[in-house]
Amino acid sequence: MSTEPYLLTPGPLTTSLRTRQSMLRDWGSWDVDFNSITGRIRERLLQIVHGTATHECVPMQGSGTFSVEAAIGTLVPRAGHVLVPQNGAYCQRIARICRVLGRKLTTIDYAENMPVDTADVDRVLRTDASITHVALVHCETSTGILNPLQEVAQVVARHGRGLIVDAMSSFGALEIDARTTPFDAVVAASGKCLEGPPGMGFVVVRREALERCEGNCHSLSLDLYDQWIYMQKTTQWRYTPPTHVVAAFDSAIAQYLEEGGLAARAARYAQNCRTLIGGMSKLGLKSFLPAAIQAPIIVTFFAPDSPRYVFKDFYNAVKARGYILYPGKLTTVETFRVGCMGQLGERGIAGAVEAVGKVLAEMRAAA
Ligand SMILES: *Cc1c(COP(=O)(O)O)cnc(C)c1O
């Protein structure tokens, strides 16, 4: 098909040819055919989390962070107070959003190899009645660690607070069930586990919570309440939608459902993750996290312990063999990351492991 390298990155990722081909058409944003695509996407995203009866799906232009910022800005009142348990860069980004938006913030800080502890969330909520919302990152993509969403959701609900979940790198691949996991908002984007191109996000919001959000938002363009009201009234996006991305996302979701939906996607990524960790381990490369807290989305590996190893050279040589890796994000140890998502071709993730093995041999930098 092409000689482009496969992207072993957590978005943008390698999309299918069919998804790319669905971008070879221009759409009018007012056109009824285009707006029925938007409607279908919103419906299907709600179905993926079983939220049709209770929740609304509000799409938002921009990368995933725009939707996270829109969710915090719209759902948390200006006098609200957000608790962010943090164990990685995406948690820190949420904390930063709260600071920029002037929402009161409390954090619970963990090491990057430690999952959020529900007992800590319980304790802080018990002692501080002013906290209105908890913001949790489901899969912390900076390491690949999985946080205990279900337990945290139960605790937050028991305390009667709102839960905002950054499920950017888990939505569609790891089960989130609105019928059994109470949440006010789940945020994700087109270019992650649903394997569309990047360019739009979406927030699944509990209808009763959204109805109370008029006037909360500090921003005009990121106001989810306004976007929702306008879309309900007109079926259109409030401002120019990324039409090609919307069309391709619709196609990617159709392919997701044809593949077998969440169960099939979860199984494919889990298999990729096992093949990856198993194959790398044979090359002497150890993963940063223990299996019990590793999400099957992206894996952090310790760099080979060799003076000949230089990430940039390693990266370029693996790229020349057809695979784009991802740099590590840890400050204390040298690592690199490999994603388990996307359309990885016939040889799949095993092809990537083979390329890494050949490059390390060439560099004489085996671990
Ligand atoms: C990708 C991602 C985001 C959004 O990042 P953008 O660069 O804005 O798309 C947010 N949170 C998590 C956990 C992610 O993986």
Side-chain angles (χ1 to χ4, degrees):
M1 180 183 73
S2 78
T3 52
E4 290 166 37
Y6 291 107
L7 300 174
L8 295 172
T9 57
L13 39 70
T14 300
T15 57
S16 73
L17 182 60
R18 188 170 142 199
T19 297
R20 289 184 230 179
Q21 280 171 338
S22 61
M23 285 185 272
L24 295 175
R25 174 176 169 178
D26 302 315
W27 297 90
S29 60
W30 38 263
D31 186 78
V32 49
D33 293 337
F34 177 75
N35 290 320
S36 72
I37 295 177
T38 302
R40 178 165 59 229
I41 290 176
R42 294 175 67 202
E43 243 174 72
R44 286 177 164 174
L45 293 173
L46 278 177
Q47 285 162 4
I48 290 170
V49 290
H50 311 285
T52 308
T54 46
H55 290 64
E56 292 285 335
C57 175
V58 188
M60 178 56 69
Q61 295 93 329
S63 87
T65 304
F66 290 61
S67 285
V68 175
E69 188 161 351
I72 303 271
T74 305
L75 282 149
V76 180
R78 296 187 195 205
H81 181 176
V82 185
L83 174 65
V84 182
Q86 38 177 24
N87 57 353
Y90 290 100
C91 307
Q92 286 163 18
R93 190 178 295 177
I94 293 180
R96 193 151 172 224
I97 288 171
C98 292
R99 286 192 202 99
V100 169
L101 302 190
R103 300 304 195 268
K104 189 168 182 209
L105 167 73
T106 297
T107 64
I108 308 173
D109 300 332
Y110 299 92
E112 287 174 303
N113 60 354
M114 295 299 291
V116 169
D117 186 340
T118 310
D120 295 332
V121 176
D122 187 35
R123 179 175 42 77
V124 175
L125 291 182
R126 210 170 335 110
T127 52
D128 192 340
S130 76
I131 292 170
T132 54
H133 293 79
V134 174
L136 181 76
V137 175
H138 189 196
C139 168
E140 187 25 278
T141 322
S142 56
T143 54
I145 201 168
L146 185 65
N147 282 321
L149 170 59
Q150 174 62 13
E151 290 84 60
V152 171
Q154 295 299 341
V155 161
V156 174
R158 201 171 340 112
H159 285 280
R161 321 293 169 88
L163 177 66
I164 297 171
V165 186
D166 174 348
M168 206 68 65
S169 64
S170 58
F171 192 101
L174 304 179
E175 179 84 305
I176 300 173
D177 188 334
R179 297 167 304 185
T180 50
T181 303
F183 61 81
D184 274 1
V186 157
V187 190
S190 55
K192 301 259 177 164
C193 303
L194 293 171
E195 300 186 351
M200 62 169 279
F202 56 89
V203 188
V204 173
V205 197
R206 196 165 58 84
R207 196 174 296 117
E208 283 170 16
L210 186 57
E211 282 164 351
R212 292 197 302 264
C213 289
E214 186 173 6
N216 276 354
C217 199
H218 60 288
S219 159
L220 175 68
S221 55
L222 293 179
D223 189 338
L224 284 181
Y225 178 85
D226 238 33
Q227 178 93 317
W228 175 55
I229 293 290
Y230 187 85
M231 211 167 249
Q232 295 303 97
K233 243 186 247 163
T234 64
T235 75
Q236 294 171 19
W237 295 58
R238 212 171 27 145
Y239 308 127
T240 305
T243 47
H244 300 77
V245 172
V246 173
F249 190 33
D250 179 51
S251 168
I253 295 170
Q255 292 164 68
Y256 171 83
L257 297 174
E258 287 162 23
E259 185 181 339
L262 190 136
R265 188 69 38 110
R268 172 153 66 85
Y269 288 2
Q271 181 60 47
N272 281 352
C273 188
R274 277 193 298 273
T275 305
L276 176 65
I277 292 175
M280 297 290 254
S281 142
K282 282 193 191 130
L283 300 175
L285 294 168
K286 284 186 197 62
S287 60
F288 172 70
L289 296 173
I293 53 171
Q294 170 72 60
I297 303 293
I298 185 164
V299 183
T300 301
F301 291 98
F302 290 108
D305 184 16
S306 158
R308 292 197 198 85
Y309 173 86
V310 179
F311 176 73
K312 227 173 169 173
D313 300 342
F314 173 64
Y315 173 94
N316 284 330
V318 174
K319 178 179 169 185
R321 291 186 176 273
Y323 298 93
I324 299 265
L325 302 175
Y326 211 49
K329 219 173 181 163
L330 302 181
T331 44
T332 46
V333 268
E334 178 155 19
T335 55
F336 66 90
R337 286 177 290 170
V338 186
C340 304
M341 41 209 318
Q343 295 292 314
L344 301 178
E346 234 166 72
R347 292 160 73 222
I349 203 108
V353 174
E354 196 186 316
V356 167
K358 284 187 172 154
V359 167
L360 289 179
E362 274 166 19
M363 292 176 80
R364 294 186 298 126

